[in-house]
Amino acid sequence: MSERALRGTRLVVTSYETDRGIDLAPRQAVEYACEKGHRFEMPFSVEAEIPPEWECKVCGAQALLVDGDGPEEKKGKPARTHWDMLMERRTREELEEVLEERLAVLRSGAMNIAIHPRDSRKSA
């Protein structure tokens, strides 16, 4: 029975309203041009903030606003290196002190780095 109820109808919702009698917001046409020479206009509301760049309708490249300011340069943070992060936690004097302590341990022979822990099990 449900098969008969759906026969002849579309599953897509269709609006039967029209735009007659509706006042649309005031608009302005803004022109963009891409680096490949394509020019096109986009409608924007008079109150809207106009973006300095838009995707080209023809080729998909970034098109710039004609007779407008270019896009603002984004300030990027410089890459933080391992050394930069280390220097945030310790001073140079503290690092030299730690280095001297580790060198003293190595020179004293208290830490035998020549024998790997797995190798010591085989000899025992």
Side-chain angles (χ1 to χ4, degrees):
M1 179 154 169
S2 63
E3 293 176 16
R4 289 186 206 149
L6 291 176
R7 188 175 298 157
T9 63
R10 295 191 308 177
L11 296 176
V12 180
V13 176
T14 305
S15 174
Y16 296 105
E17 294 181 15
T18 63
D19 291 339
R20 279 185 274 161
I22 297 175
D23 292 330
L24 299 175
R27 297 175 187 219
Q28 60 180 334
V30 178
E31 188 176 12
Y32 288 92
C34 79
E35 57 192 29
K36 295 182 181 176
H38 303 125
R39 286 174 134 355
F40 59 94
E41 288 187 349
M42 293 296 299
F44 286 95
S45 170
V46 175
E47 300 169 355
E49 183 179 327
I50 308 300
E53 56 186 8
W54 197 266
E55 185 178 314
C56 178
K57 288 181 165 184
V58 180
C59 64
Q62 286 297 321
L64 297 176
L65 183 63
V66 175
D67 298 330
D69 297 332
E72 294 179 10
E73 293 287 329
K74 293 182 180 177
K75 294 182 180 178
K77 293 170 66 176
R80 286 176 51 200
T81 63
H82 234 34
W83 181 252
D84 294 333
M85 291 185 268
L86 183 64
M87 294 307 289
E88 288 175 5
R89 295 189 309 267
R90 304 215 181 193
T91 64
R92 192 165 189 92
E93 292 79 24
E94 289 174 331
L95 291 172
E96 288 176 3
E97 185 179 321
V98 170
L99 176 64
E100 287 303 318
E101 288 174 7
R102 299 310 300 162
L103 287 174
V105 168
L106 286 172
R107 289 179 184 139
S108 70
M111 191 171 134
N112 191 354
I113 59 171
I115 300 174
H116 193 274
R118 292 184 193 152
D119 296 337
S120 62
R121 280 185 270 154
K122 291 179 184 176
S123 62

